[in-house]
Amino acid sequence: MGLFRAIPKLLHKHVVMACTAPGHQHVLRNGGLRFTVVPSRFQENVRKASSSSPYPYTMETAKQKALEVARSMHQKHGKAVEDRDGKPTVQSLPPTAIVELIDGFKGSKALFTACKMKVFDLLGDEGPLSTADVARKIGASEGGTGQLLDVCAGLGLLDKTEGGYSNTPLATLYLLSDGEYSLHSFIMTQEEVSWPFFSYLDFAVREGTVQAQRALGTAGEDHYQECFYKNREKKLQFMRAMHGHTKVAARHVATAFDLSGFTSACDLGGSTGALAYELARQYPGLKVTIFDLPEVIEDAVFFKPHGPEAGQVSFVPGDFFQDTLPEADLYIVSKILHNWPDDKVHQLLSRISRSCKPGGGLLVAEQLLDEDKCRPLPALMMSLNMTVLFQARERSLSEYRSLLQAHGFTDVRAVRTGSTSDAVLATRA
Amino acid sequence: MGLFRAIPKLLHKHVVMACTAPGHQHVLRNGGLRFTVVPSRFQENVRKASSSSPYPYTMETAKQKALEVARSMHQKHGKAVEDRDGKPTVQSLPPTAIVELIDGFKGSKALFTACKMKVFDLLGDEGPLSTADVARKIGASEGGTGQLLDVCAGLGLLDKTEGGYSNTPLATLYLLSDGEYSLHSFIMTQEEVSWPFFSYLDFAVREGTVQAQRALGTAGEDHYQECFYKNREKKLQFMRAMHGHTKVAARHVATAFDLSGFTSACDLGGSTGALAYELARQYPGLKVTIFDLPEVIEDAVFFKPHGPEAGQVSFVPGDFFQDTLPEADLYIVSKILHNWPDDKVHQLLSRISRSCKPGGGLLVAEQLLDEDKCRPLPALMMSLNMTVLFQARERSLSEYRSLLQAHGFTDVRAVRTGSTSDAVLATRA
């Protein structure tokens, strides 16, 4: 805490930071400090033998860096940098943010590749393991494996110690293929579908169309079918993907509003029941019907939990654009509306509105965009994803309010959960 | 500063954060505070008309959120989350970092696409512009353009106001194609070369080889030639790419050590002179010879600056693996060694060592990896890039020390600049 006690004393002084570490700068900026960065010319030497513990070594290095910078700023060819005309320069506005953005795809692809090669599953079962062991067990080159493991460690997914590599808690929770909150299959759909579609983002922007033909190399008449339902394996992977992505936010969504006044709910397109079972857990008096396509429901049994909440959830096969919707006090559309452009959303809301009794509810679970449509970043990226894949998008609360009010819903309110889904609740007038 | 004065008072209490905003959590964690996050169920309402200014609205919302969470934590189905067996849960370790990593490639590709479509050049010349104007002027669909512009705004590259979109200082400094510190061409090589190679990262890891054939769709016997020297346009783009990437770090590298004791330097593979001219500016007594391939030198004239430093820099054509190196007190290899595996680096260092007089210097400019090879992230990502493209990599200071000492260089020391290149200096024994 010494740092933050010191900041107020520095606020009206000309502060020069002799260290260029972005993390340190970030902490200080968050603490309200403004400063100039003048990198030290002090020469680091990795031999630390002269110090008996890290503390004096660190203090001495810091002191020497500060002294060196203070001296250099008064020299003729010193490094103190004035912004000409007050415009930002490389020194006052370093390219860090641009470099991070450029490198984003490398981090994504390293994560996708490690997931694809089941590196986290292997280390979960047998870690810590050496590079040679991992390479042998995943059937990959030792050089390539070592590089991939180091990158995963740098990204916070693996711990690297003398004993080898092992999963961090983050990897254990989200990257094992059979974890309760696994995002493994979601990541595989990003790798297999989103990556090739994003490879043609320039065409998508230029033409304003989904680039199925270029991305898939097929005629792509029904690319949704092609990507997610081509065979049973693809279908199950897609169901697991949606299951994981829904489940990590399910408790947030289920508890965003007090839904204890409802006794029956119908989750339209509720798939595996990731949200339905959580609602059942949170509201023991609630019966939830999942209404989804027959080919989805036939495999939903694999996701049935062991607890008593399983008894509150039932499945009805059907197409919510065509078939009669089951009766319920509360209708739910979770990660459904963002699949469709406005005309299809109007069709669906009109059907829900006709089934919903006055006083009934409609819960929409989606990632909410801010009103300026530029934030928050995760919702914005999901929105871009939906456009690139389906010419659909995420929406702001105002947009949902307009859509819902057009179909007789009032009292539209939202809770931003900070997770992979926010929640909007409306009441049928 | 009120926040940081308050933190010490909270350190020994059970703190519950009723807000899930990752930014807020980050600031507080950086301030040393540890806390549980219990998202509020308080219902946001975008109508702020009842408050005359933002402050009371914000305070009231915060108060209501806190009260609601405090109440809910004592309810039967409340949301306070205990970690079972002390293991991390979705609540204590949210998937934010994984989601950011998954989405990294979308941000990269949006940046690449906006650069490719010259959006920043257009807005630099004519901004602010509306979506419709940008779409018309870049010849793209209005829907796709609007989405791309919003994503660029979310990424901090554009400002979005009622008057339209305009470049942020970050975009002005680095993303205009003709800016002094432009990374535009560097980004284009990432888009055109690195992206397709990374698309086959799984094959690269498995086989331990460069995936030129899969990435380029050609026999790819000499993919370096194919990617960067296929025609004059490609060559110039590559030279501009290297120029920008070198120039943003050039002052840091040139001033990392006091080089005023040297009177002549030879920059091997110095290309456009981005580093050479900066050295000339910093050390008016220094003459710098750039030694590079004839096809590079013939176009280096386009990068010649107007200042007096131009007179200190001269060009000699040649291949540093084959031809006699020009004489100099100080040899420089900037972004050269990371192009090659160790055997080729040994060849080159051996040639430099034979040319360098005792007491002469060798300056290596590269991004230094930490000794654990897992950090810092920008160096790690560049290392992965070099592996995927050339079976080469970045190195740690210890590795450079070993390589340099093997060829008669001593007193190997490094300065981490925090920019796109660090600096290592050694003396010929």
Side-chain angles (χ1 to χ4, degrees):
Chain A
M1 293 310 304
L3 186 60
F4 290 105
R5 289 211 197 92
I7 285 179
K9 299 178 196 163
L10 298 172
L11 285 181
H12 301 288
K13 301 199 170 154
H14 178 201
V15 178
V16 176
M17 188 162 175
C19 159
T20 55
H24 298 175
Q25 294 180 24
H26 191 69
V27 170
L28 290 174
R29 285 213 182 85
N30 278 339
L33 195 65
R34 292 295 167 267
F35 48 85
T36 313
V37 178
V38 180
S40 168
R41 200 187 273 184
F42 179 70
Q43 294 161 23
E44 279 185 47
N45 191 314
V46 288
R47 296 198 196 92
K48 299 190 179 67
S50 61
S51 296
S52 57
S53 77
Y55 186 75
Y57 171 83
T58 307
M59 289 301 287
E60 186 58 27
T61 303
K63 192 177 125 193
Q64 290 302 329
K65 280 191 175 184
L67 282 171
E68 190 275 319
V69 165
R71 275 186 222 112
S72 78
M73 288 180 68
H74 299 285
Q75 290 171 1
K76 195 179 166 198
H77 298 292
K79 290 170 293 174
V81 177
E82 299 296 323
D83 297 358
R84 289 164 306 179
D85 317 321
K87 283 185 193 164
T89 68
V90 173
Q91 278 71 29
S92 65
L93 185 66
T96 318
I98 299 285
V99 170
E100 278 176 16
L101 206 44
I102 291 172
D103 284 342
F105 77 102
K106 300 169 190 168
S108 299
K109 196 66 179 190
L111 166 68
F112 299 170
T113 301
C115 281
K116 193 170 186 175
M117 295 185 150
K118 302 273 180 84
V119 167
F120 305 106
D121 284 344
L122 173 65
L123 293 174
D125 290 340
E126 304 181 35
L129 289 175
S130 67
T131 299
D133 283 340
V134 174
R136 191 168 41 79
K137 284 166 187 275
I138 65 173
S141 71
E142 199 169 319
T145 302
Q147 177 80 277
L148 182 65
L149 294 172
D150 281 344
V151 169
C152 288
L155 294 171
L157 307 176
L158 297 179
D159 283 321
K160 180 182 184 179
T161 64
E162 287 191 5
Y165 298 88
S166 52
N167 291 332
T168 60
L170 198 64
T172 301
L173 192 55
Y174 297 112
L175 302 180
L176 301 181
S177 62
D178 61 354
E180 186 180 358
Y181 296 98
S182 175
L183 292 173
H184 185 274
S185 292
F186 180 77
I187 288 168
M188 285 300 92
T189 66
Q190 295 282 313
E191 154 78 1
E192 293 172 14
V193 181
S194 294
W195 181 282
F197 275 81
F198 269 82
S199 292
Y200 299 94
L201 181 59
D202 50 341
F203 287 94
V205 170
R206 209 174 289 285
E207 300 173 8
T209 55
V210 173
Q211 298 296 312
Q213 199 160 343
R214 289 192 172 92
L216 303 175
T218 64
E221 287 208 349
D222 183 354
H223 72 281
Y224 192 87
Q225 187 72 24
E226 173 77 14
C227 293
F228 303 121
Y229 292 99
K230 194 166 70 179
N231 52 45
R232 180 134 187 266
E233 196 191 329
K234 284 269 174 231
K235 181 184 69 173
L236 278 171
Q237 177 175 288
F238 183 56
M239 287 175 72
R240 280 193 299 265
M242 294 304 103
H243 184 79
H245 200 253
T246 302
K247 196 163 166 68
V248 294
R251 185 191 291 243
H252 293 293
V253 171
T255 61
F257 302 97
D258 179 359
L259 304 174
S260 59
F262 297 106
T263 57
S264 64
C266 176
D267 189 352
L268 301 168
S271 189
T272 65
L275 178 56
Y277 292 120
E278 186 62 38
L279 285 163
R281 265 187 290 272
Q282 296 293 330
Y283 307 99
L286 187 70
K287 301 278 184 202
V288 189
T289 304
I290 291 172
F291 188 71
D292 211 324
L293 298 171
E295 61 265 36
V296 172
I297 286 184
E298 72 183 8
D299 280 323
V301 64
F302 294 119
F303 300 87
K304 190 173 167 177
H306 297 297
E309 69 273 24
Q312 295 166 246
V313 175
S314 60
F315 291 82
V316 172
D319 178 338
F320 52 58
F321 279 120
Q322 297 191 4
D323 300 318
T324 305
L325 307 184
E327 283 193 14
D329 298 343
L330 173 70
Y331 286 90
I332 300 166
V333 274
S334 166
K335 303 278 174 181
I336 296 296
L337 302 189
H338 78 160
N339 285 312
W340 308 100
D342 282 3
D343 58 337
K344 296 288 278 183
V345 169
H346 277 298
Q347 273 183 45
L348 178 55
L349 290 179
S350 160
R351 305 194 88 237
I352 296 171
S353 178
R354 285 200 296 276
S355 291
C356 193
K357 297 178 205 94
L362 174 55
L363 178 68
V364 177
E366 296 287 3
Q367 288 174 267
L368 283 177
L369 283 172
D370 287 355
E371 294 306 324
D372 69 2
K373 310 287 182 65
C374 301
R375 286 182 184 75
L377 209 51
L380 190 66
M381 289 301 163
M382 183 56 89
S383 190
L384 183 62
N385 192 71
M386 299 317 288
T387 305
V388 168
L389 265 65
F390 308 116
Q391 281 292 94
R393 62 193 177 89
E394 302 299 329
R395 295 174 173 87
S396 69
L397 178 54
S398 293
E399 290 180 299
Y400 282 117
R401 177 170 284 129
S402 298
L403 288 166
L404 292 164
Q405 286 177 343
H407 295 280
F409 289 95
T410 58
D411 193 18
V412 181
R413 49 220 188 271
V415 172
R416 289 172 191 273
T417 69
S419 186
T420 53
S421 199
D422 300 307
V424 177
L425 185 65
T427 304
R428 182 73 175 92
Chain B
M1 293 311 304
L3 185 61
F4 290 106
R5 289 210 198 92
I7 286 179
K9 299 179 195 162
L10 298 171
L11 286 180
H12 301 289
K13 301 198 171 154
H14 177 202
V15 178
V16 175
M17 187 162 175
C19 159
T20 55
H24 298 175
Q25 294 181 23
H26 191 70
V27 170
L28 290 173
R29 284 213 184 84
N30 278 339
L33 195 66
R34 292 295 166 268
F35 48 86
T36 313
V37 179
V38 180
S40 168
R41 199 187 273 184
F42 178 71
Q43 294 161 23
E44 278 186 48
N45 190 314
V46 288
R47 296 198 196 91
K48 299 190 178 70
S50 61
S51 297
S52 57
S53 77
Y55 186 75
Y57 172 83
T58 307
M59 289 302 287
E60 186 58 27
T61 303
K63 192 177 125 192
Q64 291 302 329
K65 280 191 175 183
L67 282 171
E68 189 275 319
V69 165
R71 276 186 221 113
S72 78
M73 288 180 67
H74 299 284
Q75 291 171 0
K76 195 179 166 198
H77 298 293
K79 291 169 294 174
V81 177
E82 299 296 322
D83 297 357
R84 290 164 306 179
D85 318 321
K87 283 185 193 162
T89 68
V90 173
Q91 278 70 29
S92 65
L93 185 65
T96 318
I98 299 286
V99 170
E100 278 176 16
L101 206 45
I102 291 172
D103 284 342
F105 77 103
K106 300 169 190 168
S108 299
K109 197 65 180 191
L111 166 68
F112 299 170
T113 301
C115 281
K116 193 171 185 174
M117 294 185 151
K118 302 273 180 85
V119 167
F120 305 106
D121 284 344
L122 173 65
L123 293 174
D125 290 340
E126 305 181 35
L129 288 175
S130 68
T131 299
D133 284 340
V134 174
R136 191 167 42 80
K137 284 166 187 275
I138 65 172
S141 71
E142 199 170 318
T145 302
Q147 177 80 277
L148 182 65
L149 294 172
D150 280 344
V151 169
C152 288
L155 294 171
L157 307 175
L158 296 180
D159 283 322
K160 180 182 185 179
T161 64
E162 288 191 5
Y165 298 88
S166 53
N167 291 332
T168 59
L170 198 65
T172 301
L173 192 55
Y174 297 112
L175 302 180
L176 302 181
S177 62
D178 61 355
E180 185 179 358
Y181 296 98
S182 175
L183 292 173
H184 185 275
S185 292
F186 181 76
I187 288 168
M188 285 300 91
T189 66
Q190 294 283 312
E191 154 78 1
E192 293 172 14
V193 181
S194 294
W195 181 282
F197 276 80
F198 269 82
S199 292
Y200 299 94
L201 181 60
D202 50 341
F203 288 94
V205 169
R206 209 173 290 284
E207 300 173 7
T209 55
V210 173
Q211 298 296 313
Q213 200 160 343
R214 289 192 172 91
L216 303 175
T218 64
E221 287 209 349
D222 183 354
H223 72 282
Y224 192 87
Q225 187 72 24
E226 173 78 15
C227 293
F228 303 121
Y229 291 99
K230 193 166 69 178
N231 53 44
R232 180 134 187 266
E233 197 190 329
K234 285 268 173 231
K235 181 184 69 174
L236 278 172
Q237 176 175 289
F238 182 56
M239 287 175 73
R240 280 193 299 266
M242 295 304 103
H243 184 79
H245 200 253
T246 302
K247 195 162 166 70
V248 294
R251 185 190 293 243
H252 293 293
V253 171
T255 61
F257 301 97
D258 179 359
L259 304 174
S260 59
F262 297 106
T263 57
S264 64
C266 176
D267 189 351
L268 301 168
S271 189
T272 65
L275 178 56
Y277 293 119
E278 186 61 39
L279 285 163
R281 266 187 290 273
Q282 297 293 330
Y283 306 99
L286 187 70
K287 301 278 184 201
V288 189
T289 304
I290 291 172
F291 189 71
D292 211 324
L293 298 171
E295 60 265 35
V296 172
I297 286 184
E298 72 184 8
D299 280 323
V301 63
F302 294 119
F303 300 87
K304 190 173 167 176
H306 297 297
E309 70 273 24
Q312 295 166 246
V313 175
S314 60
F315 292 82
V316 172
D319 178 338
F320 52 58
F321 278 120
Q322 298 191 4
D323 300 317
T324 305
L325 307 184
E327 283 193 13
D329 298 344
L330 173 69
Y331 287 90
I332 300 166
V333 274
S334 167
K335 303 278 174 181
I336 296 295
L337 302 188
H338 78 160
N339 285 311
W340 308 100
D342 282 3
D343 58 337
K344 295 288 278 185
V345 169
H346 278 298
Q347 273 183 45
L348 179 56
L349 290 179
S350 161
R351 305 194 88 236
I352 296 170
S353 178
R354 284 200 296 275
S355 292
C356 193
K357 297 177 207 95
L362 174 55
L363 178 68
V364 177
E366 296 286 3
Q367 288 174 267
L368 283 176
L369 283 172
D370 287 355
E371 294 306 325
D372 69 2
K373 309 287 182 66
C374 301
R375 286 182 185 76
L377 209 51
L380 190 65
M381 289 301 163
M382 183 56 89
S383 190
L384 184 61
N385 191 71
M386 299 316 288
T387 305
V388 168
L389 265 65
F390 308 115
Q391 282 292 95
R393 62 192 178 90
E394 303 299 329
R395 295 175 173 88
S396 69
L397 178 54
S398 293
E399 290 180 298
Y400 282 117
R401 177 170 283 128
S402 297
L403 288 166
L404 292 164
Q405 286 176 343
H407 296 279
F409 290 95
T410 59
D411 193 19
V412 181
R413 49 219 187 272
V415 172
R416 289 171 192 273
T417 69
S419 186
T420 52
S421 199
D422 300 307
V424 177
L425 185 65
T427 304
R428 182 72 175 94

